[in-house]
Amino acid sequence: MSRLGKLPVAIPAKVEVDVQPTAVLVKGPKGSLSTVITGDVTVTVDNGEIWVKPANDTQRARAMWGTVRSNLSNLVK
């Protein structure tokens, strides 16, 4: 299990997050960034936090869980 993947990514006040089926778009006062999301994880936004969960119980899904969460955290920062 991913220790980092379990943690949510907090969304600051002036940042907007748009989750699409294959990408996540982050727009803030300093510009906008995006990243591609694989089908191995699901990304949801709830109560001002981004949650990443593995879509299935494969080794690749568990590996991508923490990786995608870290990438999203970097986009928000």
Side-chain angles (χ1 to χ4, degrees):
M1 281 198 158
S2 174
R3 291 181 187 174
L4 268 181
K6 292 179 184 180
L7 301 174
V9 177
I11 302 173
K14 296 182 181 180
V15 176
E16 298 174 13
V17 178
D18 181 25
V19 178
Q20 299 176 351
T22 59
V24 175
L25 307 170
V26 179
K27 186 176 180 183
K30 296 183 179 180
S32 62
L33 297 170
S34 65
T35 187
V36 176
I37 301 299
T38 65
D40 296 317
V41 295
T42 58
V43 178
T44 57
V45 176
D46 188 31
N47 293 330
E49 297 177 328
I50 303 172
W51 290 91
V52 181
K53 299 204 186 300
N56 48 41
D57 194 29
T58 62
Q59 184 176 2
R60 179 174 165 79
R62 289 190 307 271
M64 294 305 293
W65 183 15
T67 302
V68 170
R69 189 260 178 215
S70 293
N71 289 344
L72 292 175
S73 176
N74 290 335
L75 291 180
V76 170
K77 286 180 185 177

Short mmCIF file of all heavy atoms in Angstrom, two decimals:
data_model
loop_
_atom_site.label_atom_id
_atom_site.label_comp_id
_atom_site.label_asym_id
_atom_site.label_seq_id
_atom_site.Cartn_x
_atom_site.Cartn_y
_atom_site.Cartn_z
N MET A 1 0.83 -1.18 0.00
CA MET A 1 0.00 0.00 0.00
C MET A 1 0.87 1.25 0.00
O MET A 1 1.93 1.27 0.59
CB MET A 1 -0.88 0.03 1.23
CG MET A 1 -2.07 -0.82 1.19
SD MET A 1 -3.15 -0.20 2.49
CE MET A 1 -4.66 -0.82 1.90
N SER A 2 0.38 2.26 -0.63
CA SER A 2 1.11 3.51 -0.74
C SER A 2 0.82 4.39 0.47
O SER A 2 -0.32 4.70 0.77
CB SER A 2 0.69 4.25 -2.01
OG SER A 2 1.29 5.50 -2.06
N ARG A 3 1.87 4.79 1.15
CA ARG A 3 1.68 5.69 2.30
C ARG A 3 1.31 7.08 1.82
O ARG A 3 0.47 7.74 2.41
CB ARG A 3 2.96 5.75 3.12
CG ARG A 3 3.24 4.46 3.83
CD ARG A 3 4.49 4.58 4.64
NE ARG A 3 4.83 3.28 5.19
CZ ARG A 3 5.93 3.04 5.85
NH1 ARG A 3 6.80 3.99 6.05
NH2 ARG A 3 6.17 1.84 6.31
N LEU A 4 1.95 7.53 0.75
CA LEU A 4 1.64 8.85 0.21
C LEU A 4 0.26 8.87 -0.45
O LEU A 4 -0.45 9.85 -0.36
CB LEU A 4 2.68 9.26 -0.83
CG LEU A 4 3.85 10.06 -0.35
CD1 LEU A 4 4.77 10.40 -1.50
CD2 LEU A 4 3.43 11.29 0.36
N GLY A 5 -0.09 7.79 -1.11
CA GLY A 5 -1.37 7.73 -1.81
C GLY A 5 -2.57 7.85 -0.89
O GLY A 5 -3.63 8.32 -1.31
N LYS A 6 -2.41 7.47 0.36
CA LYS A 6 -3.51 7.55 1.32
C LYS A 6 -3.84 8.98 1.73
O LYS A 6 -4.94 9.25 2.19
CB LYS A 6 -3.17 6.75 2.57
CG LYS A 6 -3.10 5.27 2.36
CD LYS A 6 -2.75 4.59 3.66
CE LYS A 6 -2.57 3.11 3.49
NZ LYS A 6 -2.22 2.45 4.73
N LEU A 7 -2.88 9.88 1.57
CA LEU A 7 -3.06 11.26 2.01
C LEU A 7 -3.75 12.09 0.92
O LEU A 7 -3.42 11.96 -0.25
CB LEU A 7 -1.71 11.90 2.32
CG LEU A 7 -0.86 11.21 3.38
CD1 LEU A 7 0.51 11.88 3.46
CD2 LEU A 7 -1.57 11.26 4.72
N PRO A 8 -4.69 12.94 1.30
CA PRO A 8 -5.32 13.82 0.31
C PRO A 8 -4.41 15.00 -0.02
O PRO A 8 -3.49 15.33 0.73
CB PRO A 8 -6.59 14.30 1.01
CG PRO A 8 -6.22 14.28 2.46
CD PRO A 8 -5.30 13.11 2.63
N VAL A 9 -4.67 15.62 -1.16
CA VAL A 9 -3.96 16.84 -1.56
C VAL A 9 -4.89 18.01 -1.29
O VAL A 9 -5.99 18.08 -1.85
CB VAL A 9 -3.57 16.80 -3.05
CG1 VAL A 9 -2.90 18.10 -3.46
CG2 VAL A 9 -2.68 15.61 -3.34
N ALA A 10 -4.50 18.91 -0.41
CA ALA A 10 -5.32 20.07 -0.08
C ALA A 10 -5.28 21.07 -1.24
O ALA A 10 -4.24 21.32 -1.82
CB ALA A 10 -4.81 20.73 1.19
N ILE A 11 -6.45 21.63 -1.55
CA ILE A 11 -6.56 22.61 -2.62
C ILE A 11 -6.62 24.00 -1.99
O ILE A 11 -7.55 24.29 -1.24
CB ILE A 11 -7.82 22.36 -3.47
CG1 ILE A 11 -7.78 20.94 -4.05
CG2 ILE A 11 -7.94 23.39 -4.57
CD1 ILE A 11 -9.05 20.54 -4.75
N PRO A 12 -5.64 24.89 -2.28
CA PRO A 12 -5.68 26.25 -1.74
C PRO A 12 -6.88 27.04 -2.25
O PRO A 12 -7.55 26.64 -3.21
CB PRO A 12 -4.37 26.87 -2.24
CG PRO A 12 -3.49 25.71 -2.56
CD PRO A 12 -4.40 24.62 -3.00
N ALA A 13 -7.13 28.19 -1.65
CA ALA A 13 -8.34 28.97 -1.91
C ALA A 13 -8.45 29.44 -3.36
O ALA A 13 -9.53 29.41 -3.93
CB ALA A 13 -8.38 30.18 -0.98
N LYS A 14 -7.38 29.88 -3.98
CA LYS A 14 -7.47 30.46 -5.33
C LYS A 14 -7.17 29.46 -6.45
O LYS A 14 -6.94 29.86 -7.58
CB LYS A 14 -6.50 31.63 -5.43
CG LYS A 14 -6.85 32.78 -4.50
CD LYS A 14 -5.90 33.92 -4.67
CE LYS A 14 -6.26 35.05 -3.71
NZ LYS A 14 -5.36 36.18 -3.85
N VAL A 15 -7.20 28.19 -6.14
CA VAL A 15 -6.87 27.16 -7.13
C VAL A 15 -8.13 26.39 -7.51
O VAL A 15 -8.91 26.01 -6.65
CB VAL A 15 -5.79 26.19 -6.57
CG1 VAL A 15 -5.50 25.07 -7.54
CG2 VAL A 15 -4.52 26.96 -6.26
N GLU A 16 -8.31 26.17 -8.82
CA GLU A 16 -9.43 25.40 -9.33
C GLU A 16 -8.90 24.08 -9.91
O GLU A 16 -7.89 24.09 -10.61
CB GLU A 16 -10.15 26.15 -10.44
CG GLU A 16 -10.75 27.46 -10.01
CD GLU A 16 -11.32 28.24 -11.18
OE1 GLU A 16 -11.47 27.67 -12.28
OE2 GLU A 16 -11.61 29.43 -10.99
N VAL A 17 -9.58 22.98 -9.62
CA VAL A 17 -9.18 21.67 -10.11
C VAL A 17 -10.33 21.09 -10.93
O VAL A 17 -11.46 21.04 -10.45
CB VAL A 17 -8.81 20.72 -8.95
CG1 VAL A 17 -8.45 19.34 -9.47
CG2 VAL A 17 -7.67 21.29 -8.15
N ASP A 18 -10.03 20.67 -12.16
CA ASP A 18 -11.02 20.07 -13.05
C ASP A 18 -10.57 18.65 -13.37
O ASP A 18 -9.55 18.47 -14.04
CB ASP A 18 -11.15 20.91 -14.31
CG ASP A 18 -12.18 20.35 -15.27
OD1 ASP A 18 -13.11 19.65 -14.81
OD2 ASP A 18 -12.06 20.61 -16.49
N VAL A 19 -11.32 17.66 -12.89
CA VAL A 19 -10.99 16.26 -13.13
C VAL A 19 -11.78 15.78 -14.34
O VAL A 19 -13.00 15.84 -14.35
CB VAL A 19 -11.31 15.39 -11.90
CG1 VAL A 19 -11.00 13.93 -12.18
CG2 VAL A 19 -10.55 15.88 -10.68
N GLN A 20 -11.06 15.33 -15.35
CA GLN A 20 -11.65 14.77 -16.55
C GLN A 20 -11.33 13.28 -16.58
O GLN A 20 -10.50 12.82 -15.80
CB GLN A 20 -11.11 15.49 -17.78
CG GLN A 20 -11.45 16.97 -17.78
CD GLN A 20 -10.83 17.70 -18.94
OE1 GLN A 20 -10.00 17.18 -19.67
NE2 GLN A 20 -11.23 18.96 -19.11
N PRO A 21 -11.95 12.50 -17.48
CA PRO A 21 -11.70 11.05 -17.48
C PRO A 21 -10.24 10.65 -17.66
O PRO A 21 -9.79 9.67 -17.08
CB PRO A 21 -12.55 10.54 -18.64
CG PRO A 21 -13.61 11.56 -18.81
CD PRO A 21 -13.01 12.88 -18.41
N THR A 22 -9.48 11.39 -18.45
CA THR A 22 -8.09 11.00 -18.71
C THR A 22 -7.07 12.05 -18.29
O THR A 22 -5.89 11.89 -18.54
CB THR A 22 -7.88 10.70 -20.20
OG1 THR A 22 -8.21 11.87 -20.94
CG2 THR A 22 -8.73 9.53 -20.63
N ALA A 23 -7.52 13.15 -17.66
CA ALA A 23 -6.59 14.21 -17.29
C ALA A 23 -7.13 15.00 -16.10
O ALA A 23 -8.31 14.95 -15.80
CB ALA A 23 -6.36 15.16 -18.47
N VAL A 24 -6.22 15.72 -15.45
CA VAL A 24 -6.59 16.63 -14.38
C VAL A 24 -5.99 17.99 -14.73
O VAL A 24 -4.79 18.09 -15.02
CB VAL A 24 -6.07 16.15 -13.01
CG1 VAL A 24 -6.35 17.18 -11.94
CG2 VAL A 24 -6.69 14.82 -12.64
N LEU A 25 -6.82 19.02 -14.72
CA LEU A 25 -6.38 20.38 -15.02
C LEU A 25 -6.40 21.20 -13.74
O LEU A 25 -7.39 21.20 -13.01
CB LEU A 25 -7.31 21.02 -16.05
CG LEU A 25 -7.53 20.25 -17.34
CD1 LEU A 25 -8.64 20.87 -18.15
CD2 LEU A 25 -6.26 20.18 -18.13
N VAL A 26 -5.30 21.89 -13.45
CA VAL A 26 -5.19 22.72 -12.25
C VAL A 26 -4.92 24.14 -12.71
O VAL A 26 -3.98 24.40 -13.46
CB VAL A 26 -4.06 22.22 -11.33
CG1 VAL A 26 -3.93 23.11 -10.12
CG2 VAL A 26 -4.28 20.78 -10.92
N LYS A 27 -5.77 25.07 -12.27
CA LYS A 27 -5.65 26.47 -12.67
C LYS A 27 -5.59 27.33 -11.41
O LYS A 27 -6.42 27.20 -10.52
CB LYS A 27 -6.86 26.86 -13.52
CG LYS A 27 -6.78 28.23 -14.10
CD LYS A 27 -7.97 28.49 -15.01
CE LYS A 27 -7.90 29.87 -15.61
NZ LYS A 27 -9.08 30.15 -16.43
N GLY A 28 -4.58 28.20 -11.36
CA GLY A 28 -4.41 29.06 -10.21
C GLY A 28 -3.93 30.43 -10.61
O GLY A 28 -3.85 30.75 -11.80
N PRO A 29 -3.57 31.27 -9.64
CA PRO A 29 -3.14 32.64 -9.94
C PRO A 29 -1.82 32.70 -10.71
O PRO A 29 -1.55 33.69 -11.38
CB PRO A 29 -3.02 33.29 -8.57
CG PRO A 29 -2.92 32.19 -7.61
CD PRO A 29 -3.61 31.01 -8.22
N LYS A 30 -1.01 31.67 -10.65
CA LYS A 30 0.28 31.67 -11.33
C LYS A 30 0.24 30.99 -12.69
O LYS A 30 1.25 30.89 -13.37
CB LYS A 30 1.34 31.00 -10.46
CG LYS A 30 1.61 31.73 -9.18
CD LYS A 30 2.70 31.07 -8.40
CE LYS A 30 2.98 31.83 -7.11
NZ LYS A 30 4.05 31.19 -6.34
N GLY A 31 -0.92 30.46 -13.10
CA GLY A 31 -1.03 29.80 -14.40
C GLY A 31 -1.82 28.52 -14.29
O GLY A 31 -2.47 28.24 -13.29
N SER A 32 -1.75 27.72 -15.34
CA SER A 32 -2.47 26.45 -15.34
C SER A 32 -1.54 25.32 -15.79
O SER A 32 -0.64 25.52 -16.60
CB SER A 32 -3.68 26.52 -16.27
OG SER A 32 -3.26 26.76 -17.59
N LEU A 33 -1.77 24.15 -15.22
CA LEU A 33 -1.01 22.94 -15.52
C LEU A 33 -1.97 21.78 -15.66
O LEU A 33 -3.09 21.83 -15.15
CB LEU A 33 0.00 22.65 -14.40
CG LEU A 33 1.09 23.67 -14.15
CD1 LEU A 33 1.83 23.35 -12.86
CD2 LEU A 33 2.07 23.68 -15.31
N SER A 34 -1.52 20.73 -16.33
CA SER A 34 -2.35 19.54 -16.46
C SER A 34 -1.47 18.30 -16.46
O SER A 34 -0.27 18.38 -16.72
CB SER A 34 -3.18 19.59 -17.74
OG SER A 34 -2.34 19.56 -18.86
N THR A 35 -2.07 17.17 -16.17
CA THR A 35 -1.38 15.90 -16.21
C THR A 35 -2.34 14.83 -16.70
O THR A 35 -3.55 14.93 -16.51
CB THR A 35 -0.79 15.51 -14.83
OG1 THR A 35 0.02 14.34 -14.97
CG2 THR A 35 -1.86 15.26 -13.81
N VAL A 36 -1.79 13.81 -17.32
CA VAL A 36 -2.58 12.70 -17.83
C VAL A 36 -2.73 11.66 -16.73
O VAL A 36 -1.78 11.36 -16.00
CB VAL A 36 -1.90 12.07 -19.07
CG1 VAL A 36 -2.66 10.87 -19.55
CG2 VAL A 36 -1.77 13.10 -20.17
N ILE A 37 -3.94 11.11 -16.60
CA ILE A 37 -4.23 10.10 -15.58
C ILE A 37 -4.43 8.76 -16.27
O ILE A 37 -5.20 8.66 -17.23
CB ILE A 37 -5.50 10.48 -14.80
CG1 ILE A 37 -5.33 11.84 -14.13
CG2 ILE A 37 -5.85 9.42 -13.77
CD1 ILE A 37 -4.23 11.92 -13.13
N THR A 38 -3.77 7.74 -15.77
CA THR A 38 -3.95 6.40 -16.32
C THR A 38 -5.24 5.79 -15.79
O THR A 38 -5.82 6.27 -14.83
CB THR A 38 -2.77 5.49 -15.93
OG1 THR A 38 -2.77 5.32 -14.51
CG2 THR A 38 -1.45 6.07 -16.37
N GLY A 39 -5.67 4.72 -16.39
CA GLY A 39 -6.88 4.04 -15.95
C GLY A 39 -6.67 3.21 -14.70
O GLY A 39 -7.61 2.59 -14.20
N ASP A 40 -5.45 3.20 -14.18
CA ASP A 40 -5.15 2.39 -12.99
C ASP A 40 -5.55 3.07 -11.69
O ASP A 40 -5.57 2.44 -10.64
CB ASP A 40 -3.65 2.08 -12.94
CG ASP A 40 -3.22 1.22 -14.10
OD1 ASP A 40 -3.94 0.27 -14.44
OD2 ASP A 40 -2.16 1.51 -14.69
N VAL A 41 -5.85 4.38 -11.74
CA VAL A 41 -6.26 5.11 -10.54
C VAL A 41 -7.50 5.93 -10.83
O VAL A 41 -7.80 6.26 -11.97
CB VAL A 41 -5.13 6.04 -10.03
CG1 VAL A 41 -3.93 5.26 -9.57
CG2 VAL A 41 -4.74 7.06 -11.07
N THR A 42 -8.23 6.25 -9.76
CA THR A 42 -9.38 7.15 -9.87
C THR A 42 -9.08 8.40 -9.05
O THR A 42 -8.54 8.31 -7.94
CB THR A 42 -10.67 6.49 -9.36
OG1 THR A 42 -10.48 6.09 -8.00
CG2 THR A 42 -11.04 5.29 -10.20
N VAL A 43 -9.43 9.54 -9.59
CA VAL A 43 -9.18 10.82 -8.93
C VAL A 43 -10.51 11.50 -8.69
O VAL A 43 -11.33 11.61 -9.60
CB VAL A 43 -8.27 11.72 -9.80
CG1 VAL A 43 -8.04 13.06 -9.13
CG2 VAL A 43 -6.95 11.03 -10.08
N THR A 44 -10.74 11.95 -7.45
CA THR A 44 -11.96 12.65 -7.10
C THR A 44 -11.62 13.90 -6.29
O THR A 44 -10.59 13.94 -5.61
CB THR A 44 -12.92 11.78 -6.29
OG1 THR A 44 -12.25 11.32 -5.11
CG2 THR A 44 -13.41 10.58 -7.08
N VAL A 45 -12.49 14.89 -6.35
CA VAL A 45 -12.35 16.11 -5.55
C VAL A 45 -13.51 16.14 -4.58
O VAL A 45 -14.67 16.04 -4.98
CB VAL A 45 -12.35 17.37 -6.45
CG1 VAL A 45 -12.30 18.62 -5.59
CG2 VAL A 45 -11.19 17.33 -7.42
N ASP A 46 -13.20 16.26 -3.28
CA ASP A 46 -14.23 16.26 -2.25
C ASP A 46 -13.83 17.19 -1.12
O ASP A 46 -12.74 17.02 -0.55
CB ASP A 46 -14.44 14.83 -1.73
CG ASP A 46 -15.63 14.70 -0.82
OD1 ASP A 46 -16.60 15.45 -1.00
OD2 ASP A 46 -15.59 13.84 0.09
N ASN A 47 -14.67 18.15 -0.80
CA ASN A 47 -14.44 19.08 0.32
C ASN A 47 -13.09 19.78 0.26
O ASN A 47 -12.37 19.86 1.25
CB ASN A 47 -14.58 18.35 1.66
CG ASN A 47 -15.99 17.88 1.91
OD1 ASN A 47 -16.94 18.49 1.44
ND2 ASN A 47 -16.13 16.80 2.63
N GLY A 48 -12.70 20.25 -0.91
CA GLY A 48 -11.46 20.99 -1.04
C GLY A 48 -10.21 20.14 -0.99
O GLY A 48 -9.13 20.65 -0.71
N GLU A 49 -10.35 18.85 -1.27
CA GLU A 49 -9.21 17.94 -1.28
C GLU A 49 -9.28 17.03 -2.49
O GLU A 49 -10.36 16.68 -2.95
CB GLU A 49 -9.19 17.07 -0.02
CG GLU A 49 -9.02 17.85 1.26
CD GLU A 49 -9.08 16.97 2.48
OE1 GLU A 49 -9.81 15.95 2.47
OE2 GLU A 49 -8.41 17.31 3.46
N ILE A 50 -8.12 16.66 -3.00
CA ILE A 50 -8.04 15.71 -4.11
C ILE A 50 -7.70 14.35 -3.53
O ILE A 50 -6.72 14.20 -2.79
CB ILE A 50 -6.95 16.12 -5.12
CG1 ILE A 50 -7.20 17.53 -5.64
CG2 ILE A 50 -6.89 15.12 -6.27
CD1 ILE A 50 -6.07 18.08 -6.49
N TRP A 51 -8.51 13.35 -3.85
CA TRP A 51 -8.29 11.99 -3.38
C TRP A 51 -7.93 11.09 -4.56
O TRP A 51 -8.58 11.14 -5.60
CB TRP A 51 -9.54 11.44 -2.70
CG TRP A 51 -9.82 12.09 -1.40
CD1 TRP A 51 -10.59 13.18 -1.17
CD2 TRP A 51 -9.32 11.69 -0.12
NE1 TRP A 51 -10.60 13.49 0.17
CE2 TRP A 51 -9.82 12.58 0.83
CE3 TRP A 51 -8.48 10.66 0.30
CZ2 TRP A 51 -9.52 12.48 2.19
CZ3 TRP A 51 -8.19 10.56 1.65
CH2 TRP A 51 -8.71 11.46 2.57
N VAL A 52 -6.90 10.28 -4.40
CA VAL A 52 -6.47 9.33 -5.42
C VAL A 52 -6.61 7.93 -4.83
O VAL A 52 -6.17 7.68 -3.72
CB VAL A 52 -5.01 9.58 -5.85
CG1 VAL A 52 -4.59 8.60 -6.92
CG2 VAL A 52 -4.83 11.01 -6.32
N LYS A 53 -7.24 7.04 -5.60
CA LYS A 53 -7.42 5.66 -5.14
C LYS A 53 -7.09 4.71 -6.29
O LYS A 53 -7.33 5.04 -7.46
CB LYS A 53 -8.86 5.43 -4.71
CG LYS A 53 -9.28 6.32 -3.55
CD LYS A 53 -10.41 5.71 -2.79
CE LYS A 53 -10.97 6.60 -1.74
NZ LYS A 53 -10.24 7.08 -0.70
N PRO A 54 -6.54 3.54 -5.99
CA PRO A 54 -6.28 2.58 -7.06
C PRO A 54 -7.59 2.03 -7.61
O PRO A 54 -8.53 1.77 -6.86
CB PRO A 54 -5.45 1.49 -6.38
CG PRO A 54 -5.74 1.63 -4.93
CD PRO A 54 -6.10 3.06 -4.69
N ALA A 55 -7.66 1.85 -8.93
CA ALA A 55 -8.88 1.36 -9.57
C ALA A 55 -9.04 -0.15 -9.41
O ALA A 55 -10.16 -0.66 -9.42
CB ALA A 55 -8.89 1.73 -11.05
N ASN A 56 -7.94 -0.86 -9.24
CA ASN A 56 -7.99 -2.31 -9.06
C ASN A 56 -6.81 -2.73 -8.17
O ASN A 56 -6.07 -1.88 -7.69
CB ASN A 56 -7.97 -3.04 -10.41
CG ASN A 56 -6.89 -2.53 -11.32
OD1 ASN A 56 -5.78 -2.27 -10.89
ND2 ASN A 56 -7.22 -2.35 -12.60
N ASP A 57 -6.65 -4.02 -7.95
CA ASP A 57 -5.63 -4.50 -7.02
C ASP A 57 -4.44 -5.12 -7.76
O ASP A 57 -4.00 -6.20 -7.43
CB ASP A 57 -6.25 -5.51 -6.05
CG ASP A 57 -5.33 -5.78 -4.87
OD1 ASP A 57 -4.57 -4.87 -4.51
OD2 ASP A 57 -5.38 -6.90 -4.32
N THR A 58 -3.93 -4.41 -8.76
CA THR A 58 -2.76 -4.89 -9.47
C THR A 58 -1.52 -4.16 -8.96
O THR A 58 -1.61 -3.12 -8.30
CB THR A 58 -2.89 -4.65 -10.98
OG1 THR A 58 -2.97 -3.24 -11.21
CG2 THR A 58 -4.11 -5.34 -11.55
N GLN A 59 -0.36 -4.70 -9.28
CA GLN A 59 0.88 -4.08 -8.84
C GLN A 59 1.06 -2.71 -9.51
O GLN A 59 1.50 -1.76 -8.87
CB GLN A 59 2.06 -4.97 -9.18
CG GLN A 59 3.38 -4.44 -8.68
CD GLN A 59 4.53 -5.39 -8.94
OE1 GLN A 59 4.36 -6.44 -9.53
NE2 GLN A 59 5.71 -5.01 -8.50
N ARG A 60 0.68 -2.60 -10.77
CA ARG A 60 0.79 -1.32 -11.48
C ARG A 60 -0.13 -0.27 -10.85
O ARG A 60 0.27 0.89 -10.70
CB ARG A 60 0.46 -1.49 -12.95
CG ARG A 60 0.54 -0.19 -13.72
CD ARG A 60 0.36 -0.39 -15.22
NE ARG A 60 0.09 0.84 -15.90
CZ ARG A 60 0.98 1.75 -16.23
NH1 ARG A 60 2.24 1.56 -15.92
NH2 ARG A 60 0.63 2.85 -16.88
N ALA A 61 -1.34 -0.65 -10.48
CA ALA A 61 -2.28 0.30 -9.87
C ALA A 61 -1.73 0.81 -8.54
O ALA A 61 -1.83 2.00 -8.25
CB ALA A 61 -3.64 -0.34 -9.69
N ARG A 62 -1.16 -0.07 -7.75
CA ARG A 62 -0.59 0.36 -6.47
C ARG A 62 0.61 1.27 -6.68
O ARG A 62 0.82 2.22 -5.93
CB ARG A 62 -0.23 -0.85 -5.63
CG ARG A 62 -1.44 -1.62 -5.10
CD ARG A 62 -1.05 -2.67 -4.07
NE ARG A 62 -0.02 -3.57 -4.54
CZ ARG A 62 -0.24 -4.72 -5.19
NH1 ARG A 62 -1.47 -5.08 -5.46
NH2 ARG A 62 0.76 -5.48 -5.55
N ALA A 63 1.41 1.00 -7.72
CA ALA A 63 2.57 1.84 -8.01
C ALA A 63 2.14 3.22 -8.50
O ALA A 63 2.71 4.24 -8.10
CB ALA A 63 3.45 1.18 -9.06
N MET A 64 1.13 3.27 -9.33
CA MET A 64 0.66 4.54 -9.89
C MET A 64 -0.10 5.37 -8.86
O MET A 64 -0.20 6.60 -9.00
CB MET A 64 -0.22 4.29 -11.11
CG MET A 64 0.51 3.70 -12.29
SD MET A 64 1.95 4.66 -12.80
CE MET A 64 1.17 6.13 -13.41
N TRP A 65 -0.63 4.74 -7.83
CA TRP A 65 -1.39 5.41 -6.78
C TRP A 65 -0.58 6.55 -6.16
O TRP A 65 -0.98 7.70 -6.15
CB TRP A 65 -1.80 4.37 -5.75
CG TRP A 65 -2.64 4.81 -4.62
CD1 TRP A 65 -3.35 5.97 -4.51
CD2 TRP A 65 -2.90 4.08 -3.43
NE1 TRP A 65 -4.04 6.00 -3.32
CE2 TRP A 65 -3.77 4.84 -2.64
CE3 TRP A 65 -2.48 2.85 -2.95
CZ2 TRP A 65 -4.22 4.42 -1.39
CZ3 TRP A 65 -2.93 2.42 -1.72
CH2 TRP A 65 -3.81 3.21 -0.95
N GLY A 66 0.59 6.24 -5.64
CA GLY A 66 1.43 7.25 -5.01
C GLY A 66 2.05 8.21 -6.02
O GLY A 66 2.22 9.39 -5.75
N THR A 67 2.36 7.70 -7.21
CA THR A 67 2.96 8.53 -8.24
C THR A 67 2.00 9.62 -8.70
O THR A 67 2.38 10.80 -8.79
CB THR A 67 3.39 7.67 -9.44
OG1 THR A 67 4.29 6.67 -9.00
CG2 THR A 67 4.05 8.50 -10.52
N VAL A 68 0.78 9.25 -8.99
CA VAL A 68 -0.22 10.22 -9.44
C VAL A 68 -0.51 11.23 -8.33
O VAL A 68 -0.63 12.42 -8.57
CB VAL A 68 -1.50 9.51 -9.92
CG1 VAL A 68 -2.62 10.50 -10.15
CG2 VAL A 68 -1.22 8.73 -11.18
N ARG A 69 -0.60 10.77 -7.11
CA ARG A 69 -0.86 11.67 -5.98
C ARG A 69 0.26 12.69 -5.84
O ARG A 69 0.03 13.88 -5.64
CB ARG A 69 -1.01 10.86 -4.69
CG ARG A 69 -1.50 11.70 -3.51
CD ARG A 69 -0.33 12.05 -2.65
NE ARG A 69 -0.74 12.90 -1.53
CZ ARG A 69 0.01 13.86 -1.05
NH1 ARG A 69 1.17 14.14 -1.59
NH2 ARG A 69 -0.38 14.57 -0.04
N SER A 70 1.52 12.26 -5.98
CA SER A 70 2.65 13.17 -5.90
C SER A 70 2.65 14.17 -7.05
O SER A 70 2.92 15.36 -6.85
CB SER A 70 3.97 12.39 -5.91
OG SER A 70 4.08 11.63 -4.73
N ASN A 71 2.32 13.71 -8.24
CA ASN A 71 2.25 14.60 -9.39
C ASN A 71 1.17 15.66 -9.20
O ASN A 71 1.37 16.84 -9.51
CB ASN A 71 1.99 13.82 -10.68
CG ASN A 71 3.18 13.01 -11.12
OD1 ASN A 71 4.30 13.23 -10.67
ND2 ASN A 71 2.95 12.05 -11.99
N LEU A 72 0.01 15.26 -8.68
CA LEU A 72 -1.07 16.22 -8.43
C LEU A 72 -0.68 17.22 -7.35
O LEU A 72 -1.01 18.40 -7.44
CB LEU A 72 -2.36 15.49 -8.04
CG LEU A 72 -3.00 14.67 -9.16
CD1 LEU A 72 -4.19 13.90 -8.62
CD2 LEU A 72 -3.41 15.56 -10.30
N SER A 73 0.02 16.76 -6.33
CA SER A 73 0.48 17.66 -5.28
C SER A 73 1.44 18.71 -5.86
O SER A 73 1.34 19.88 -5.51
CB SER A 73 1.18 16.86 -4.19
OG SER A 73 1.70 17.71 -3.20
N ASN A 74 2.30 18.29 -6.74
CA ASN A 74 3.24 19.22 -7.37
C ASN A 74 2.50 20.22 -8.27
O ASN A 74 2.89 21.39 -8.34
CB ASN A 74 4.29 18.47 -8.18
CG ASN A 74 5.26 17.73 -7.28
OD1 ASN A 74 5.45 18.09 -6.13
ND2 ASN A 74 5.84 16.67 -7.81
N LEU A 75 1.46 19.78 -8.95
CA LEU A 75 0.68 20.69 -9.80
C LEU A 75 0.00 21.77 -8.95
O LEU A 75 -0.03 22.94 -9.34
CB LEU A 75 -0.38 19.93 -10.58
CG LEU A 75 0.08 19.00 -11.69
CD1 LEU A 75 -1.12 18.34 -12.35
CD2 LEU A 75 0.90 19.73 -12.73
N VAL A 76 -0.53 21.38 -7.81
CA VAL A 76 -1.25 22.32 -6.95
C VAL A 76 -0.29 23.33 -6.34
O VAL A 76 -0.60 24.52 -6.23
CB VAL A 76 -2.04 21.56 -5.86
CG1 VAL A 76 -2.59 22.52 -4.83
CG2 VAL A 76 -3.17 20.77 -6.50
N LYS A 77 0.90 22.88 -5.96
CA LYS A 77 1.88 23.79 -5.35
C LYS A 77 2.39 24.76 -6.38
O LYS A 77 2.71 25.87 -6.14
CB LYS A 77 3.05 23.01 -4.77
CG LYS A 77 2.69 22.29 -3.51
CD LYS A 77 3.86 21.54 -2.97
CE LYS A 77 3.46 20.72 -1.77
NZ LYS A 77 4.56 19.93 -1.24
#
